[in-house]
Structure formats: C-alpha cells, structure tokens
Amino acid sequence: MSFSSTPRTVSLVTLGCARNEVDSEELAARLADAGWELAAQGREAGVVLVNTCGFIQAAKQESIEELLAASESGAKVVAVGCLAERYGTELAAELPEAQILGFDDYEDIGARLDDVLAGRRREAHAPQDRRKLLPISPVERSRARDDVGPPWLRRRLATGVAAPLKIASGCDRRCSFCAIPSFRGAFVSRRPPEILAEASWLAAQGVKEILLVSENSTSYGKDLGNLRLLEEILPDLAATVARVRISYLQPAEVRPGLIEVMTSTPGVAPYFDLSFQHASGPVLRAMRRFGDRARFLGLLRQVRELAPEAGVRSNFIVGFPGETAEDLRELELFLSSARLDAIGIFGYSDEDGTEADTLPGKLDDAEIARRVEDFADLAEELMAQRAAERVGEAVDVLIEECLEEGVYEGRAAHQAPEVDGVTTVVSQTPLAVGEIVQAQVTSSEGVDLTAEAR
C-alpha cells in the first residue's frame, strides 16, 4: 500500500509514562473525529505521530531516535508530547525531518496534520513556563476550568484488561531535579463526575483494572478546595471496575485517612507507589523534598499495620550533586529494611532550567554509573527476597492471558501493569481473562510469582 493512496492515515507511537498513554488515546479520538484513519501496528501510514517523553536524558534520547527512525519510513513525521512541548523551536531546528507541535495544538490535531500533509510547515512554538499560563490560586484555577470543552475524549489503543485514567495534570511541587512542572504546568484536578464517567466508559470497553495516574495523586482535590477528595471518590470508582490502583503518591502528603481508605475499601488495591527518591535527609533537602530514613520507615509501618500484604514500589536517584558515602549508607540501610516489592534505581542527570543543574558537587558520569550499578544489584536482590516472602501467601490475581491449558498469567494486587512483575497461576478449572481469582503463592523467581488457584 502506498502512502499516497491513504494520505489521511496516521500511526501513533507512544513513549514514556502512563500519562502519555492517556494523552495518545485522546489524540486518537480527536483524529478519528476529524476523519483521520488510525493505522494498525506495522501498517504504513501517511503520518507518524510520535508522543515523546522529555523527563530524563535517556528518555529524550529515545524520543529523538524514534523520530529519526520514523523519518526513514517515507511518512511525514510529527512530534508531540513532553519533549516537543519542552523544547519547541530548538527541537525543530535540530530535527528538520519532523514537525513539532505543542500541547495547545491537541484540540485541533486533525487540522494540524492536514497542514502537514499539505506541506504547510507550522512554526514551532517557543517554549515557556506553563505554570504561568494558569491562575495559581485554587479559586481562580477552579473558575478557569468552568468554560473548558468536553470533560474527556478518548479512544482506546490498547486491548488489555487494565488501563490508566488521568485524575489530574501538572504539578505544584518544586523538586530541584525535576523540570516537569515547567512544561506540564500547575496542578489541575479533574472534577469527580468527569473521572467517574470515564471510568464507566472504560469498564464498558472491557477494562477490569483502572490505574489512576497524575504527576502527584496525593494532591488531587486541593485546587478544588477538598484535599480529601481522593478518599471520597475511591469507593465510587471501586464500584465501577473490579480493581482500582493509585500511582504517583508523594510520601510527604500521604495522610492517615488515605492509607485507611486504600487498605480497607473493597476493590481498591492496597498498593503504594511512593516517590521516595532517596532516604538521606540532607540529599532530600537538597532535592527540595521532605523526609528521611526514619520517617519513611514509619510511613511503611503505618501502611503494614493496616495491610501487612500491601505492595510498595518506589524510585530512587543516586549520584545527586553532593551525595556522600554517608548518604549512600542511609539509602542502603533504608532499602535493606523497607521490604519494597519494586525498586527503580536511576542515575542523576542535569535537567535544563532546574535548580539542581546549578548545584555544586557534581559527580562525574563514571561515578554515577558505578553507584547505579551497585544499587541496581542490591535492588534486584532485595526484590527477589521480598517476592520469596510471599510464598504461602494468598493473593488475588487479575488474569490477563492464557499461556497454555491450565496455566495463566496475571497480576496480584501488589503488581502494577508492566513494571512490577507477574504471577503465573496454575488452575485445575478454566479461568477467564479479566477474572480476579484467589490463589496461593507456591514459588518465586525474581519478582515473579507462581501460584495455585483455590
């Protein structure tokens, strides 16, 4: 099939986090409404639309490589997403092969791609701090939302039984290493009716587990005047699908009431995706974050007192400017005591426009790489130990695939989609994809479990 025979056919490529997945599904819906045909995977298309990631250096590089690869296909290439928003004119100058569109182009994405096909090159936007584009006070912010368009627009691109649902956009925190607020903007919560309507729509599409995503889910509702709003909507969401999971929790904002609701509400996974980032007090303060090893272990005790089986995952940055041997020792002690199910280790890299980019005490790349390797090895060992502790435990597994007769693959409540391992279930009776079954863990391998259905 030639490109010229199907000029208004678009292929969507999504990079980065689950928030980007939701954005791509919004773009897919808008393109379909504008008469564009969405190309199936592997099929040639007139336009390749790459939803880029701009969070860390490795993600930026992956996005650029994907854009360059797409340009070799013969299709016209368009970049959207965080990298495109963050760098705009600079990216356009470096990649003349691609058209660069910003977040403000999403509403008219069909028309923008028509311009691309017609050879009308749109001037890339000049990057700006998106936090300044929205009123900052909660009252003003709420009023600014009153005249927005449809509450949600989405077309599923995935076919699995789990799907992300965005509850907010942007971030008001000022972590010294993070540039996300500058290109994603100030924190804005979606209103509960919008979220519940989209959850019902996802359920009608066959989704059994919803993953609530945002830049900081513990801030949900603060701009609407109710910081307890997440606790209030969780029971309603849990009545919509079989399982609700929350991601991106800020440890300093985790409230006892939220822990109680997350650990006691049927249908809500007792799963805590806690963004610790480090465990040394001095490093955390340099990161413009709060807490230390003792406080974080205390938070985990609160969780496990209510739900001993609760799953916990977190990410950590090593090699931050000024990080000392004592700081690393604090992190090692925390990891060895915390019994985390999933641990991500990342090396620090400078991010344009952040406070950390200007800090003294920078470590060279080789030393950062060594620290990443050491802590990644420790993390692998500790995650395997935690999985082994679950042998004999009863787990509720969402079945996602039949591997062979009597053998199924799924995820227990402590395992989020794609990042936390899987559970293989052996059953004497047939199981259905999308079913949640109780099983007893019989063995582990790394982070993965094997269990027998009860």
Side-chain angles (χ1 to χ4, degrees):
M1 180 179 295
S2 68
F3 294 112
S4 59
S5 65
T6 56
R8 297 187 86 241
T9 302
V10 58
S11 173
L12 272 164
V13 178
T14 305
L15 304 174
C17 65
R19 299 184 294 274
N20 260 16
E21 292 179 35
V22 179
D23 288 350
S24 286
E25 294 191 345
E26 175 191 335
L27 289 167
R30 292 185 181 278
L31 286 166
D33 283 354
W36 280 78
E37 179 185 351
L38 302 178
Q41 185 174 5
R43 180 186 165 196
E44 293 178 341
V47 176
V48 177
L49 185 68
V50 182
N51 190 354
T52 61
C53 179
F55 180 39
I56 58 176
Q57 186 57 43
K60 297 178 204 173
Q61 188 60 41
E62 181 186 13
S63 295
I64 291 171
E65 290 172 358
E66 187 66 44
L67 289 165
L68 290 172
S71 69
E72 297 174 358
S73 69
K76 294 182 181 294
V77 180
V78 176
V80 296
C82 293
L83 188 72
E85 177 65 35
R86 185 175 180 186
Y87 292 102
T89 50
E90 180 182 343
L91 187 62
E94 293 182 4
L95 287 174
E97 303 92 336
Q99 285 261 36
I100 313 301
L101 300 180
F103 294 149
D104 292 336
D105 291 305
Y106 283 19
E107 185 174 357
D108 296 316
I109 191 66
R112 298 291 80 77
L113 295 198
D114 285 333
D115 289 341
V116 171
L117 279 182
R120 294 188 290 270
R121 192 161 187 88
R122 188 176 180 84
E123 184 176 349
H125 64 281
Q128 54 187 319
D129 189 338
R130 295 193 69 88
R131 289 171 295 191
K132 300 176 182 178
L133 302 182
L134 185 74
I136 297 302
S137 78
V139 172
E140 290 176 309
R141 202 176 304 184
S142 180
R143 287 174 181 163
R145 291 178 43 85
D146 289 341
D147 297 325
V148 297
W152 56 274
L153 188 64
R154 186 169 179 179
R155 174 171 174 165
R156 285 209 76 200
L157 298 174
T159 57
V161 295
L165 195 167
K166 187 184 291 189
I167 62 172
S169 295
C171 185
D172 287 343
R173 299 192 69 87
R174 296 296 179 265
C175 301
S176 65
F177 57 84
C178 183
I180 287 176
S182 67
F183 58 86
R184 277 289 182 181
F187 187 89
V188 179
S189 301
R190 297 178 66 196
R191 299 186 187 280
E194 300 173 15
I195 295 171
L196 293 170
E198 187 169 342
S200 296
W201 178 82
L202 287 169
Q205 300 290 311
V207 170
K208 303 299 181 182
E209 177 178 314
I210 286 175
L211 176 68
L212 303 183
V213 299
S214 70
E215 275 73 27
N216 177 10
S217 296
T218 38
S219 283
Y220 176 71
K222 73 173 186 178
D223 54 317
L224 299 178
N226 183 358
L227 195 51
R228 303 294 184 267
L229 199 53
L230 183 58
E231 291 100 296
E232 293 177 11
I233 70 168
L234 280 174
D236 290 335
L237 285 168
T240 304
V241 291
R243 177 187 286 167
V244 176
R245 185 184 303 275
I246 309 171
S247 61
Y248 306 110
L249 301 173
Q250 168 61 240
E253 297 179 10
V254 174
R255 308 168 290 277
L258 178 60
I259 297 174
E260 183 176 354
V261 171
M262 289 179 63
T263 55
S264 64
T265 304
V268 175
Y271 174 83
F272 291 79
D273 177 17
L274 294 162
S275 177
F276 288 126
Q277 301 299 352
H278 212 283
S280 164
V283 172
L284 287 163
R285 286 191 289 276
M287 289 179 170
R288 300 296 182 195
R289 296 174 69 86
F290 303 94
D292 52 31
R293 173 165 61 101
R295 288 182 176 87
F296 291 165
L297 289 175
L299 175 59
L300 293 176
R301 280 195 296 272
Q302 290 180 53
V303 169
R304 288 169 174 149
E305 283 173 2
L306 295 177
E309 78 289 356
V312 185
R313 83 161 351 259
S314 191
N315 294 323
F316 300 87
I317 297 172
V318 295
F320 192 80
E323 184 183 61
T324 66
E326 180 59 30
D327 296 325
L328 293 173
R329 178 59 177 161
E330 280 294 294
L331 178 56
E332 180 182 358
L333 289 171
F334 172 72
L335 291 174
S336 299
S337 302
R339 297 168 59 235
L340 304 179
D341 293 275
I343 303 168
I345 302 294
F346 297 89
Y348 169 81
S349 62
D350 286 332
E351 289 296 321
D352 299 333
T354 63
E355 180 185 352
D357 192 19
T358 67
L359 291 177
K362 298 285 179 64
L363 303 173
D364 62 44
D365 291 344
E367 175 59 21
I368 293 174
R370 185 189 68 78
R371 296 183 184 192
V372 170
E373 182 178 5
D374 288 347
F375 275 88
D377 289 344
L378 175 62
E380 289 289 331
E381 178 183 346
L382 293 173
M383 288 187 293
Q385 290 177 9
R386 179 66 184 121
E389 289 179 10
R390 292 192 180 274
V391 173
E393 188 176 291
V395 291
D396 293 326
V397 182
L398 173 63
I399 302 299
E400 295 185 308
E401 183 181 1
C402 178
L403 301 178
E404 58 182 87
E405 186 176 355
V407 182
Y408 304 83
E409 185 175 279
R411 292 175 296 100
H414 70 279
Q415 296 170 321
E418 300 181 7
V419 293
D420 294 343
V422 297
T423 298
T424 300
V425 177
V426 178
S427 178
Q428 299 300 316
T429 58
L431 302 176
V433 171
E435 179 181 2
I436 291 184
V437 300
Q438 190 171 76
Q440 185 168 17
V441 179
T442 57
S443 65
S444 66
E445 182 175 352
V447 297
D448 298 328
L449 305 177
T450 298
E452 292 185 0
R454 291 184 165 181

